[in-house]
Amino acid sequence: MGLRTLGTALLAIGTLVGGSLIGATVSSAAARTAPPKPQLECPYYFVCGQAANGSSFAYKDCNFEFKLPNLIGSGPLVNNQTAGTVARFYDKNHRLLFTSRAYDARTVNWTPVWYVRAC
């Protein structure tokens, strides 16, 4: 193999390896990126939610259970109460479905949820 052919072969190998490393770096960086948190304005001391149908709520009173508006579909839940405060979510028969400990921001299916006790 002549010097010219060897140089061309080395250049081609370097390009392939370099391109692979660049692609691997971008791919691994993208894999480490956390998924976006649900976006919903929720004042401090409140627990808030919004469903796909546009219905939403924002409550902070701890003394009783609130009947939620007609929430249909998935949407954001933000528990922006003081650290450690637990909101409880219930179905139409007042059975506990899930809890949310402050601070919490996630997407939930609101369709089966009928009631919330903010704290």
Side-chain angles (χ1 to χ4, degrees):
M1 181 183 290
L3 190 55
R4 180 179 223 165
T5 309
L6 179 60
T8 305
L10 289 175
L11 181 61
I13 290 170
T15 303
L16 288 172
V17 170
S20 296
L21 291 176
I22 291 169
T25 303
V26 171
S27 297
S28 62
R32 287 190 303 256
T33 304
K37 294 212 177 214
Q39 297 297 314
L40 178 66
E41 293 293 322
C42 188
Y44 191 50
Y45 298 117
F46 281 76
V47 60
C48 309
Q50 182 175 18
N53 68 345
S55 295
S56 63
F57 68 91
Y59 298 126
K60 71 173 186 173
D61 194 337
C62 296
N63 296 326
F64 58 94
E65 190 174 271
F66 292 96
K67 182 167 185 184
L68 294 171
N70 187 27
L71 300 171
I72 305 294
S74 295
L77 160 67
V78 177
N79 186 346
N80 197 18
Q81 300 179 92
T82 54
T85 303
V86 178
R88 291 165 177 79
F89 297 86
Y90 302 91
D91 69 7
K92 65 181 178 179
N93 297 312
H94 300 274
R95 285 185 296 225
L96 181 65
L97 293 171
F98 63 92
T99 61
S100 168
R101 182 175 301 276
Y103 178 82
D104 184 18
R106 58 183 153 142
T107 300
V108 299
N109 176 13
W110 290 111
T111 304
V113 183
W114 286 48
Y115 301 96
V116 62
R117 184 173 296 272
C119 41

